[in-house]
Amino acid sequence: MQRTQWYKDAVFYQIWPRSFCDGNGDGIGDLWGVLSKLDYIASLGVTGIWFSPLYPSPQADFGYDIADYYDINPEYGTLDVFKQVLDGAHERGLRVIMDLVVNHSSDECAWFKESRSSRDNAYADWYIWRDGKTPGAPEDGGTPPNNWDSLFEGIAWEYEPARDQWYLHIFAKKQPDLNMDNPAVRAEVEKIMRFWLDLGVDGFREDVITYISKTEGLPDDNPLMPAARGMRFYDHGPHVHEYLQQFRRNVLSEYDCMTVGEAPMISAEKALEYCDEGPDQELDMMFTFEHMSADCVFTDWIPRPFDLRAYKQALGSWQTGLAEHAWNSLYIENHDHPRIISRYGSERYRVESGKSLACSYLFLRGTPFVYQGQEIGMTNTHLERVEDSADVSTFNQVARLRRLGLPEVACMKLVNRATRDHARTPMQWDAGPGAGFVGGNGAAEPWYPVNPNYVDINVAEADKDPHSLLAFYRKAIALRRKLPVVRDGSYREFKRASKSLFAYAREGESQRLLVVCSLSDQITYFSLPEGYDPSQASLCLCGYGDAPVEGNGFFLRPYECRVYLFEG
Ligand code: GLC
Ligand code: CA
């Protein structure tokens, strides 16, 4: 099979199914809803869809806890409806990639149910079971095998009386880690991949894929580490490359598909180990978090003021670091982060900052992903109480903060800054009841409250307005797809030290694209760099209604952005 690298021309739209569109009127997003919105998705000019998990799941982590890898969550539809979505997408020129979550499964997966039932069964070695340091149940003084932290829920171990052993869970208790060292587990991963590829899907987004190989002996971490103890023993673990190469060789290389691996902690240099386009290539691209840490330290829960230079530095290091060797993925929102306008932009200049942020990444080298609602400028919601959250990781963070003695008011402030709920409020389709998210007769309550600003911020409203963020996204995506230089050109940054402007060019032989984005509410002058003659420039995009030029440059109004093309 010839792999064509079609993904280099692709633009993806990410759907988090529970909150995208409810077709059958029970208040939960589903595939019938997606079917009804395929034309809308195609109207954005995107060429693919990434589905966050659609599989049967108890939803402890909203599908990132899979109970059956070969089926569709009945709340969302059936395999038949999925087939219809797939065909409908393909008819519209949209490829479809699935989320593949194989670092862990749900504890309600048949494999785990059997695995936990005894030390001696067909699945006994499919998960990471260890004896406690001190034997026995925790209530009898038994202690866990090591001192690792779960990233989602307390310690990383849970005791199972039937085996008198503990299982490892890097995420929530209901997400036991699979034992990838077991060849039978790897064979099963191959089977899952083939199942979906044979059904017609075009690839995978591989969840926390850098965590799948754990250091032998699972050694204790430094007890003084304040959080995420153990991570250095499983992130980029000893066999990760061997296993990913196996999947590539045995399955992925036989299909013209694409893969993007999620890598919570990775630099551009490290990414080359996974996606350098040489004979040992494992994945086609990685999702980095580096540029998503420009207003926080390590996680969204340790805040700092937005630092544009950190954002530019992170993006730039991937542009130049991967250059001709590997391909980038590009994103500024997904289901794990608060809304970007509320973070890096300005709710006061919502539309302007939304446009500027769009330009800050859509014209870089790589495959862009747009998250549902990002294209209409959805913003963070407001939680009154911790109980308003639906997110297991938020509860964990709050428990941690309370243990540290943080007062409740301060806790709530952090929740409102960092919780993943912001990205998971229902999609705002129109100003009607339930924001047009609820199907059927529209009477059901949405599973999670709609952001009250849906009355003003919604697709129907934006569709009517030629200056809306939605209209801008459509133009920007079309421009990106039209100009070969955006795919192939080299990357050059200007005004690196600026704390208000992000300016870069994509340079090819016959075309050069200059992108200037203000991420400040101050008026700032930008003078064109040497070799860029304003009289030769044609304006492709501007975040404001007009684009006056003064001298050898122009003034950018609050959060203004412009894109100029230079030809010849
Ligand atoms: C990834 C997913 C996130 C999930 C976690 C555990 O980071 O994006 O939503 O909670 O993995 O599966
Ligand atoms: Ca539904």
Side-chain angles (χ1 to χ4, degrees):
M1 162 66 62
Q2 176 70 21
R3 286 174 62 94
T4 61
Q5 297 192 324
W6 53 267
Y7 52 82
K8 292 192 173 176
D9 294 302
V11 179
F12 275 91
Y13 188 75
Q14 183 193 348
I15 291 183
W16 197 74
R18 205 169 193 78
S19 287
F20 183 63
C21 182
D22 167 30
N24 65 356
D26 64 355
I28 298 173
D30 53 46
L31 289 172
W32 299 283
V34 173
L35 262 183
S36 73
K37 298 297 183 189
L38 284 177
D39 285 330
Y40 168 75
I41 297 167
S43 83
L44 302 172
V46 300
T47 63
I49 300 173
W50 152 28
F51 280 109
S52 276
L54 292 166
Y55 315 90
S57 157
Q59 305 288 326
D61 189 20
F62 295 113
Y64 286 91
D65 48 325
I66 300 177
D68 180 353
Y69 287 81
Y70 301 96
D71 207 346
I72 296 291
N73 175 7
E75 289 174 320
Y76 297 163
T78 59
L79 269 177
D80 271 349
V81 192
F82 178 72
K83 242 336 231 171
Q84 285 177 47
V85 169
L86 196 58
D87 292 343
H90 285 162
E91 278 160 26
R92 291 166 178 80
L94 303 168
R95 310 253 189 173
V96 173
I97 67 169
M98 297 291 270
D99 224 303
L100 184 74
V101 189
V102 292
N103 175 68
H104 45 269
S105 75
S106 162
D107 67 336
E108 296 183 34
C109 181
W111 313 331
F112 188 73
K113 286 193 199 157
E114 176 133 11
S115 189
R116 80 187 313 173
S117 67
S118 69
R119 290 189 186 209
D120 173 27
N121 64 69
Y123 294 89
D125 195 28
W126 275 46
Y127 294 84
I128 301 178
W129 292 101
R130 291 291 183 280
D131 295 338
K133 257 191 194 152
T134 328
E139 53 278 19
D140 304 326
T143 54
N146 69 23
N147 69 353
W148 293 5
D149 293 314
S150 154
L151 301 180
F152 275 7
E153 243 183 336
I155 63 166
W157 296 94
E158 189 68 9
Y159 181 74
E160 172 53 62
R163 293 180 58 134
D164 183 23
Q165 277 188 317
W166 302 68
Y167 68 83
L168 178 73
H169 62 91
I170 293 176
F171 293 93
K173 286 178 194 148
K174 287 183 70 63
Q175 295 169 296
D177 281 57
L178 280 156
N179 176 16
M180 206 57 79
D181 294 333
N182 181 342
V185 172
R186 299 203 299 278
E188 189 73 30
V189 172
E190 292 185 13
K191 198 174 136 203
I192 297 167
M193 288 178 163
R194 272 188 200 285
F195 176 84
W196 293 99
L197 290 167
D198 289 339
L199 205 74
V201 313
D202 301 287
F204 302 102
R205 176 265 190 191
E206 303 189 2
D207 191 67
V208 290
I209 201 66
T210 56
Y211 289 2
I212 59 173
S213 164
K214 280 81 176 167
T215 298
E216 211 175 299
L218 311 179
D220 267 327
D221 206 343
N222 179 350
L224 298 177
M225 287 264 297
R229 270 179 302 193
M231 189 182 275
R232 65 193 170 103
F233 296 115
Y234 56 77
D235 195 17
H236 313 293
H239 301 288
V240 65
H241 297 299
E242 176 191 328
Y243 299 161
L244 291 178
Q245 278 166 27
Q246 174 187 332
F247 300 148
R248 179 87 167 197
R249 189 174 58 242
N250 291 357
V251 184
L252 300 166
S253 63
E254 293 177 21
Y255 297 81
D256 190 17
C257 64
M258 75 93 136
T259 50
V260 47
E262 186 203 23
M265 300 277 282
I266 197 169
S267 63
E269 193 187 353
K270 191 92 188 151
L272 291 174
E273 293 176 12
Y274 295 87
C275 46
D276 188 299
E277 290 169 352
D280 293 333
Q281 185 177 8
E282 297 157 14
L283 298 164
D284 296 314
M285 57 190 117
M286 306 302 281
F287 277 135
T288 167
F289 281 51
E290 287 196 312
H291 65 296
M292 299 306 281
S293 313
D295 67 349
C296 58
V297 183
F298 176 57
T299 90
D300 293 343
W301 290 84
I302 311 176
R304 59 170 169 152
F306 172 57
D307 177 354
L308 176 60
R309 288 196 291 190
Y311 179 61
K312 298 194 290 187
Q313 153 64 31
L315 289 175
S317 76
W318 281 74
Q319 290 294 298
T320 51
L322 267 50
E324 300 305 310
H325 307 290
W327 191 247
N328 270 298
S329 75
L330 308 168
Y331 78 97
I332 51 175
E333 277 195 19
N334 64 30
H335 62 292
D336 289 332
H337 297 284
R339 294 288 181 177
I340 200 69
I341 289 174
S342 306
R343 290 183 66 180
Y344 292 3
S346 155
E347 291 184 5
R348 175 161 172 230
Y349 293 102
R350 187 181 65 86
V351 172
E352 294 82 357
S353 66
K355 292 175 180 175
S356 201
L357 286 162
C359 286
S360 76
Y361 88 109
L362 277 181
F363 299 105
L364 296 175
R365 183 172 189 277
T367 301
F369 290 73
V370 177
Y371 180 63
Q372 67 187 39
Q374 177 188 332
E375 76 279 21
I376 56 166
M378 282 175 63
T379 58
N380 284 355
T381 189
H382 181 76
L383 286 76
E384 278 305 319
R385 307 158 309 158
V386 174
E387 297 72 47
D388 294 343
S389 175
D391 177 15
V392 59
S393 82
T394 295
F395 297 130
N396 186 49
Q397 292 291 351
V398 167
R400 190 179 60 86
L401 296 171
R402 285 179 178 156
R403 275 199 305 277
L404 291 173
L406 209 71
E408 213 52 17
V409 188
C411 256
M412 272 325 289
K413 240 184 129 173
L414 270 182
V415 168
N416 274 301
R417 192 177 194 274
T419 185
R420 304 193 295 183
D421 299 296
H422 293 306
R424 302 172 176 192
T425 62
M427 178 75 182
Q428 295 164 203
W429 293 103
D430 60 42
F437 163 76
V438 180
N441 62 8
E445 279 290 309
W447 77 274
Y448 192 85
V450 172
N451 188 323
N453 68 18
Y454 77 93
V455 189
D456 303 310
I457 304 173
N458 60 67
V459 172
E461 207 47 53
D463 237 339
K464 287 188 286 199
D465 175 3
H467 302 295
S468 67
L469 183 58
L470 176 62
F472 190 87
Y473 262 98
R474 286 182 170 133
K475 280 186 225 152
I477 291 169
L479 183 66
R480 170 175 181 109
R481 291 182 55 201
K482 193 178 83 185
L483 297 176
V485 71
V486 183
R487 177 194 149 128
D488 303 323
S490 60
Y491 172 81
R492 187 163 146 207
E493 194 188 330
F494 309 103
K495 297 248 178 221
R496 267 166 194 266
S498 170
K499 290 181 178 172
S500 47
L501 295 184
F502 181 24
Y504 63 92
R506 302 298 314 286
E507 302 182 322
E509 280 183 5
S510 59
Q511 286 185 326
R512 289 175 303 162
L513 196 74
L514 178 68
V515 183
V516 188
C517 315
S518 162
L519 284 166
S520 145
D521 58 6
Q522 305 295 307
I523 294 177
T524 324
Y525 188 75
F526 177 78
S527 56
L528 294 198
E530 239 193 81
Y532 282 80
D533 174 358
S535 69
Q536 299 294 303
S538 53
L539 181 75
C540 303
L541 284 173
C542 177
Y544 280 64
D546 59 350
V549 173
E550 276 167 67
N552 189 37
F554 48 90
F555 287 96
L556 290 121
R557 290 152 284 189
Y559 293 96
E560 180 172 349
C561 58
R562 295 190 191 186
V563 178
Y564 286 103
L565 181 65
F566 297 77
E567 277 182 290

